[in-house]
Amino acid sequence: NKFNKFFRMVKKRTCVFLSGKETNLKNLISYSRDKSFPIKISLIICNNNKAEGIKYAKWHNIPLILVNTKNKNSDNKILLQLKNYRISFICLAGYMKIISNKIIKEFRDKIINIHPSLLPKFKGLNTFSRVLKNKEIKSGCTVHYVNDKLDTGHIIKSKKFFLIPSDNETTLKHKTQNLEYKAFPQAIISIFRHR
């Protein structure tokens, strides 16, 4: 009936965590404007006051909280804001800080991350240089759930491309980002399709 249809379409109030330029944020904002997309970006948390992603928040009138993650009380501040904004889902989009167990416990199976390699290969940082150094024949990106170990959570979606001899860190970054723009929204749709 109509009520059930409406109830299914209520978007999940989502927070995006970021640290930098974050074109993935821009991409998710664009997708979230579609009424059939399952999330609404209701909050942005950033731990870098020079991050370019801040301007996307301002342009789109999305509440933004700047957090100093070196402060030992930062977890409590983050959790309080997530509660204040009634957040039920979290996307990490270039967030260069390991999420604490305290937050993971509160949002178990409700935090996802996008990583610029084909996990389980090349967890952590400096992905592109490591892919080249290892002479990989393919690379890509992975969307996964966040748990208490770095880049080891259950994989939701991955996308790949094959390297060519002329590839360098710049071309790898460009190719990977283009895949991320597809993989992240597709992963989000697949999560909520099954809930």
Side-chain angles (χ1 to χ4, degrees), residues 140-153:
C141 66
T142 309
V143 185
H144 65 96
Y145 283 105
V146 173
N147 61 16
D148 55 4
K149 293 190 181 69
L150 182 67
D151 297 332
T152 58

Side-chain angles (χ1 to χ4, degrees), residues 57 60 123 169 190:
H60 296 284
K123 297 169 188 166
E169 286 188 46
S190 74

Side-chain angles (χ1 to χ4, degrees), residues 11-52:
K11 290 175 174 256
K12 297 285 177 191
R13 292 178 64 82
T14 298
C15 178
V16 177
F17 284 45
L18 63 91
S19 298
K21 184 175 181 180
E22 226 19 79
T23 49
N24 269 309
L25 169 66
K26 190 179 174 187
N27 186 50
L28 287 179
I29 290 170
S30 172
Y31 270 92
S32 70
R33 292 181 146 184
D34 185 317
K35 56 178 191 289
S36 66
F37 196 66
I39 68 166
K40 173 186 192 310
I41 298 171
S42 304
L43 181 65
I44 293 167
I45 285 178
C46 180
N47 68 340
N48 171 11
N49 60 11
K50 292 184 175 67
E52 271 190 62

Side-chain angles (χ1 to χ4, degrees), residues 108-124:
R108 192 165 297 285
D109 299 329
K110 290 175 183 159
I111 308 174
I112 65 170
N113 179 45
I114 189 148
H115 183 76
S117 80
L118 292 172
L119 293 174
K121 282 189 169 186
F122 309 111
K123 297 169 188 166

Side-chain angles (χ1 to χ4, degrees), residues 63-74:
L64 170 85
I65 309 289
L66 280 169
V67 179
N68 177 3
T69 42
K70 293 188 176 98
N71 182 324
K72 63 177 194 295
N73 268 334
S74 64

